Amino acid sequence: MIHFFEYNWQVRDEWFEWCKQLPNAELLKNRTGGAGSILYTLFHIIDVEYSWIRGIQDKEDVVLEFTNYNTIEKVKSLSNTFRIEIAEFIKENVDERKEKVVSVTWDEDKYTVDEILHHIIIHEIHHIGQLSVWARELKLKPVSANFIGRTFLPANLL
Amino acid sequence: MIHFFEYNWQVRDEWFEWCKQLPNAELLKNRTGGAGSILYTLFHIIDVEYSWIRGIQDKEDVVLEFTNYNTIEKVKSLSNTFRIEIAEFIKENVDERKEKVVSVTWDEDKYTVDEILHHIIIHEIHHIGQLSVWARELKLKPVSANFIGRTFLPANLL
């Protein structure tokens, strides 16, 4: 499971770099499908990941307003901040809790930790697929989605 | 790992159903980004999955020509045929082989079975994300990408 998180975080960082070639207005521009804009998609991925991880931890959800994170620098900084906390938690606490049932405020159903981890991982990969279409619509080469050929060093997981 | 395959196969089947609302010409129409067309994307997902699974099995690659699978019925039938074989293999043989190193004809690098399984899973989710943007461009609601809320019965894995 951990390798999917490492992959998602590495790809996410590559998209942050990719975004630097575009003016902020282009990153904020509303597009067809997905979460709406390139920057909002990245923000949304981070927000959803953090909310579910806090849900697993029985911690209260932190509601984030996109208006406070409307530049690539701010979104990247948010990602980095949460990642330290999430990586630490996943490395140390997840394996023995996989069957634990979790209840969250934003969903009336309950899910196991294992289901939630699958959901978080798939959620990010799916949205990144959407970014790749928008990239081509902008006549730009998207970040590679390949898993093979990547190197994950211990440092990738902080 | 098995739940990601179950998820991908269930979502893929839902996309096959979704495709039935469109004429074949629309499914074959070239689009921006991704693998090119809706139908080719689905064919490509199946082709890549099967090639890598055969690679893991040390079996020769089966080269498929898209011209032989250019309707949704043919692509769905291909998917069903391969799935029986793949599901059987994954259920029974994968766990103890994860660290085995695999060499394939279409890539000069070698990868472990575990890396290849990650790659297959991510490859499909990524391309399905692309289909979801094209669906919205066609003013159609895409298939849900959510993992939570799905039910995977033993029968899902054939």
Side-chain angles (χ1 to χ4, degrees), chain A residues 133-152:
Chain A
V133 168
W134 292 342
R136 290 291 182 194
E137 288 174 350
L138 286 162
K139 316 261 184 249
L140 294 170
K141 190 182 169 198
V143 168
S144 167
N146 279 348
F147 180 87
I148 50 171
R150 292 180 176 272
T151 306
F152 302 106

Side-chain angles (χ1 to χ4, degrees), chain B residues 4-105:
Chain B
F4 285 109
F5 280 94
E6 289 177 306
Y7 163 86
N8 271 346
W9 292 342
Q10 188 176 100
V11 170
R12 193 194 299 169
D13 285 344
E14 288 172 15
W15 276 100
F16 287 142
E17 281 304 305
W18 181 96
C19 283
K20 289 182 182 169
Q21 69 191 302
L22 291 173
N24 211 47
E26 199 64 66
L27 298 177
L28 290 169
K29 193 176 153 188
N30 201 44
R31 297 174 198 279
T32 304
S37 74
I38 294 170
L39 198 60
Y40 184 77
T41 299
L42 291 164
F43 168 81
H44 170 69
I45 286 169
I46 297 161
D47 186 24
V48 165
E49 180 180 77
Y50 193 57
S51 292
W52 281 110
I53 293 290
R54 285 185 68 89
I56 292 174
Q57 295 172 309
D58 293 322
K59 289 183 181 168
E60 201 176 334
D61 189 32
V62 175
V63 178
L64 303 170
E65 296 294 338
F66 180 54
T67 47
N68 298 328
Y69 301 95
N70 56 2
T71 67
I72 194 68
E73 292 76 18
K74 288 178 186 168
V75 172
K76 185 171 163 46
S77 168
L78 185 72
S79 176
N80 288 344
T81 304
F82 287 171
R83 190 175 308 176
I84 297 168
E85 195 180 321
I86 295 170
E88 200 61 43
F89 177 72
I90 290 176
K91 269 192 293 186
E92 297 190 0
N93 299 284
V94 151
D95 275 344
E96 74 269 25
R97 298 197 197 190
K98 282 200 170 162
E99 299 312 315
K100 186 194 158 201
V101 175
V102 172
S103 184
V104 291
T105 53

Side-chain angles (χ1 to χ4, degrees), chain A residues 19 22-29 31 37-40 72:
Chain A
C19 284
L22 290 173
N24 210 48
E26 198 65 65
L27 297 177
L28 289 170
K29 192 177 154 189
R31 295 173 200 278
S37 74
I38 295 170
L39 198 60
Y40 184 77
I72 194 68

Side-chain angles (χ1 to χ4, degrees), chain B residues 112-126:
Chain B
T112 64
V113 168
D114 196 46
E115 285 174 319
I116 292 170
L117 294 177
H118 279 78
H119 184 70
I120 295 170
I121 290 162
I122 288 168
H123 181 261
E124 177 149 359
I125 302 167
H126 182 78

